[in-house]
């Protein structure tokens, strides 16, 4: 048994060639803390270890620290709107607009003609009205906040009727029943799990009914012996009963996705033209923009949302508004919509993907080009499959390879299954191919 001789000096490790480069990544303080923690461990165990091994352990600590920071990652999962990877990537034009606005002052709440205070909420309304047919709009932090604002404005201490087959939970703990409870509204569930009829809603009406609410199922479907209440039917009932009809549309398509080979998805315009009073949807799902919750609808109802004091806590900043405005602008024509990463990925042909795959196969001996399927994700279109092309690696240790890819300089998140690691090229931007190929070459070496 060796006699414990002590630990290396802090400055020796600070200057060690494999540790020193981390200073620019994590900062001097974090570097010192990682070294101190590692030296504490060495003292505690009282075993002599070579400097190289200790330096290696410090590097492992620093790697873990560096990957906990918010970093750019490459999404090779094939899920286009990956909630854990930040949902929709943003269009370059939108980012340029945000950069231009963010660097200086803006007329966010200033009326330039009158020279006095203006409203931050009115600007996005014009573009949204044009794209959806709605009279007015308001933008808040996310769709969950949008639903909260609607319920708080119209249904506190009152009843909200929702079909039992639409009581959805979205990933990350958004449950419609919980949001209603939080707002002091009473949820009145009607119908059965598979069948809901208009007469179920009609029977549940009471003098305390404040809202008839529809909700998009988003991430599940009910098949078989089913019946639903259509939007227009609910609107007609609401008119007769004098009750406001609202819809939590969630994914919020502005365009008919059949144009992109996907199944039919109810658009915001569909909901508006059914006569729904207020329609809520996300900015970073099928819209392809920043995280935001958008509510469009009748002018008088939107005005009431704007005068709820809660809006002050749910509002969005100038950068979000700039990103959203520019993304909406791109939605006006199919050609410009292709600049939105979500629609560019959706519109890429398998031939284009295969041509990119050839470059991978040429550079990396173990790579196979395979047919695969991409998914929309983000709690939208759970059954839609998009034909795609991927690069597969068969290995006895797929989890280890996937982990090694996540540790690449720009972390790469891949799919694992059937004894292989698969990189779906649809969600990898062409500009990222070089980084992915380089990482794979390093791993093969
Ligand atoms: C996604 C979704 C939400 C939550 O949207 P966020 O923008 O993530 O808050 C709410 N309702 C429905 C129906 C959804 O699909």
């Amino acid at each position: 048994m060796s006699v414990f001789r002590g630990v290396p000096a802090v400055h020796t490790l600070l200057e060690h060639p494999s540790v020193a480069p981390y200073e620019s990544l994590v900062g001097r303080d974090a570097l010192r803390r990682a070294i101190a923690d590692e030296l504490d461990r060495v003292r505690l165990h009282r075993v002599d270890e070579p400097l190289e091994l200790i330096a290696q352990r410090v590097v492992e600590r620093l790697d873990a620290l560096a990957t906990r920071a918010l970093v750019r990652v490459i999404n090779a999962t094939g899920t286009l709107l990956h909630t854990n990877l930040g949902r929709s990537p943003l269009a370059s034009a939108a980012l340029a607009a945000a950069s231009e606005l963010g660097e200086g002052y803006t007329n966010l709440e200033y009326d330039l003609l009158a020279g006095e205070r203006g409203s931050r909420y009115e600007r996005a309304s014009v573009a949204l009205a044009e794209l959806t047919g709605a009279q007015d709009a308001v933008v808040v932090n996310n769709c969950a906040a949008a639903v909260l604002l609607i319920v708080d404005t119209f249904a506190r201490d009152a009843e909200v009727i929702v079909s039992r087959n639409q009581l959805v939970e979205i990933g990350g703990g958004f449950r419609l029943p919980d949001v209603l409870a939080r707002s002091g509204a009473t949820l009145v569930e009607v119908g059965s799990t598979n069948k809901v009829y208009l007469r179920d809603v009609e029977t549940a009406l009471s003098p305390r009914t404040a809202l008839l609410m529809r909700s998009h199922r988003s991430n599940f479907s009910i098949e078989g012996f089913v019946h639903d209440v259509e939007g227009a039917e609910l609107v007609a009932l609401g008119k007769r009963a004098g009750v406001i009809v609202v819809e939590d549309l969630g994914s919020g398509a502005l365009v008919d996705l059949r144009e992109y080979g996907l199944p039919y998805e109810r658009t915001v315009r569909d909901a508006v033209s059914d006569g729904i009073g207020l329609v809520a949807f996300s900015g970073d799902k099928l819209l392809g923009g920043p995280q935001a919750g958008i509510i469009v609808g009748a002018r008088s109802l939107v005005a009431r949302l704007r005068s709820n004091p809660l809006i002050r806590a749910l509002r969005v900043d100038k950068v979000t508004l700039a990103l959203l405005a520019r993304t909406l602008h791109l939605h006006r024509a199919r050609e410009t919509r292709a600049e939105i990463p979500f629609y560019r990925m959706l519109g890429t042909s398998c031939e284009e993907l295969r041509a990119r795959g050839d470059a991978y196969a040429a550079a990396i001996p173990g790579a196979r080009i395979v047919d695969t399927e991409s998914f929309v994700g983000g709690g939208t279109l759970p059954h839609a499959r998009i034909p795609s092309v991927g690069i597969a690696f068969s290995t006895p240790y797929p989890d280890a390879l996937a982990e090694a890819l996540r540790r690449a300089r720009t972390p790469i998140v891949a799919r694992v299954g059937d004894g292989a690691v698969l990189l779906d090229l649809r969600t990898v931007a062409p500009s990222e191919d070089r980084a992915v190929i380089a990482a794979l070459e390093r791993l093969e070496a």
Side-chain angles (χ1 to χ4, degrees):
M1 203 176 145
S2 70
V3 179
F4 182 60
R5 282 185 306 250
V7 299
V10 172
H11 75 87
T12 312
L13 282 158
L14 272 174
E15 286 152 24
H16 191 279
S18 56
V19 175
Y22 280 86
E23 185 172 340
S24 60
L25 218 57
V26 301
R28 186 88 172 169
D29 287 346
L31 206 62
R32 280 184 171 280
R33 219 173 306 121
I35 292 170
D37 288 349
E38 182 55 29
L39 295 182
D40 281 348
R41 193 194 60 81
V42 175
R43 274 187 212 102
L44 188 71
H45 294 284
R46 299 183 66 82
V47 287
D48 279 312
E49 283 177 338
L51 177 66
E52 286 312 308
L53 188 63
I54 296 172
Q56 164 84 34
R57 290 235 171 81
V58 172
V59 164
E60 278 167 19
R61 283 176 189 271
L62 293 167
D63 270 338
L65 200 67
T67 48
R68 270 200 297 266
L70 194 57
V71 293
R72 166 97 181 236
V73 309
I74 294 173
N75 174 11
T77 64
T79 299
L80 275 68
L81 301 173
H82 199 302
T83 302
N84 305 141
L85 302 182
R87 275 199 198 150
S88 58
L90 298 162
S92 302
L95 287 162
S99 166
E100 158 79 17
L101 255 80
E103 259 169 14
Y105 298 98
T106 68
N107 57 342
L108 181 69
E109 290 187 356
Y110 189 72
D111 183 331
L112 288 169
L113 291 179
E116 58 191 37
R117 189 190 170 120
S119 163
R120 77 164 64 200
Y121 304 110
E122 267 155 33
R123 224 162 274 116
S125 318
V126 179
L128 283 161
E130 186 191 319
L131 288 164
T132 68
Q135 289 175 344
D136 207 349
V138 68
V139 183
V140 290
N141 182 55
N142 57 11
C143 189
V147 174
L148 184 68
L149 181 64
I150 290 173
V151 175
D152 184 85
T153 306
F154 297 100
R156 275 174 68 174
D157 305 317
E159 291 174 358
V160 180
I161 300 179
V162 187
S163 293
R164 196 162 264 127
N165 61 6
Q166 295 180 347
L167 288 171
V168 63
E169 170 174 333
I170 312 292
F174 173 90
R175 283 179 159 189
L176 194 52
D178 296 348
V179 174
L180 290 175
R182 208 7 106 91
S183 320
T186 306
L187 167 65
V188 179
E189 294 177 43
V190 298
S192 62
T193 314
N194 56 326
K195 289 207 173 201
V196 181
Y197 298 93
L198 194 63
R199 63 170 182 272
D200 296 325
V201 183
E202 209 161 358
T203 315
L205 284 169
S206 87
R208 296 193 57 227
T209 309
L211 292 177
L212 302 182
M213 179 177 266
R214 297 186 95 223
S215 179
H216 193 290
R217 282 194 195 111
S218 299
N219 51 11
F220 75 106
S221 62
I222 300 178
E223 277 162 48
F225 197 51
V226 296
H227 191 272
D228 271 323
V229 178
E230 298 300 325
E233 285 180 279
L234 203 62
V235 168
L237 176 61
K239 277 221 175 74
R240 266 185 279 136
V243 178
I244 301 164
V245 180
V246 300
E247 181 161 343
D248 174 13
L249 198 55
S251 53
L254 293 181
V255 57
D256 187 341
L257 290 171
R258 286 174 295 193
E259 281 183 38
Y260 293 87
L262 288 174
Y264 167 71
E265 169 76 8
R266 183 169 167 83
T267 64
V268 180
R269 188 177 279 280
D270 291 341
V272 170
S273 59
D274 275 349
I276 305 283
L278 293 170
V279 184
F281 55 99
S282 297
D284 54 349
K285 290 183 179 174
L286 300 176
L287 197 148
Q291 177 191 304
I294 300 160
I295 307 169
V296 301
R299 189 166 289 118
S300 60
L301 299 179
V302 173
R304 286 183 60 188
L305 294 175
R306 284 212 187 107
S307 61
N308 184 336
L310 195 56
I311 204 167
R312 180 68 177 71
L314 305 177
R315 71 184 188 186
V316 289
D317 76 325
K318 57 180 183 273
V319 173
T320 299
L321 287 171
L323 292 167
L324 181 64
R326 194 66 204 165
T327 308
L328 290 172
H329 189 76
L330 295 173
H331 265 285
R332 290 160 125 187
R334 192 179 160 114
E335 304 82 70
T336 50
R337 194 183 303 122
E339 291 178 37
I340 300 171
F342 174 74
Y343 288 92
R344 188 191 61 226
M345 292 188 278
L346 210 53
T348 305
S349 71
C350 285
E351 287 69 45
E352 290 169 73
L353 297 177
R354 210 164 283 118
R356 284 170 50 204
D358 286 338
Y360 283 73
I364 310 144
R368 280 182 294 127
I369 302 179
V370 295
D371 291 332
T372 183
E373 281 170 334
S374 309
F375 300 89
V376 179
T380 68
L381 297 146
H383 299 297
R385 283 153 190 276
I386 309 156
S388 188
V389 175
I391 301 297
F393 295 89
S394 301
T395 152
Y397 310 108
D399 289 324
L401 176 56
E403 188 189 330
L405 287 168
R406 291 198 303 273
R407 284 169 175 271
R409 191 167 306 145
T410 304
I412 300 161
V413 184
R415 221 190 280 164
V416 177
D418 298 330
V421 171
L422 185 106
L423 288 85
D424 187 330
L425 293 183
R426 186 173 296 282
T427 50
V428 177
S431 60
E432 294 169 334
D433 280 341
R434 272 180 53 191
V436 180
I437 290 172
L440 289 167
E441 279 175 331
R442 265 194 298 275
L443 287 174
E444 288 257 313

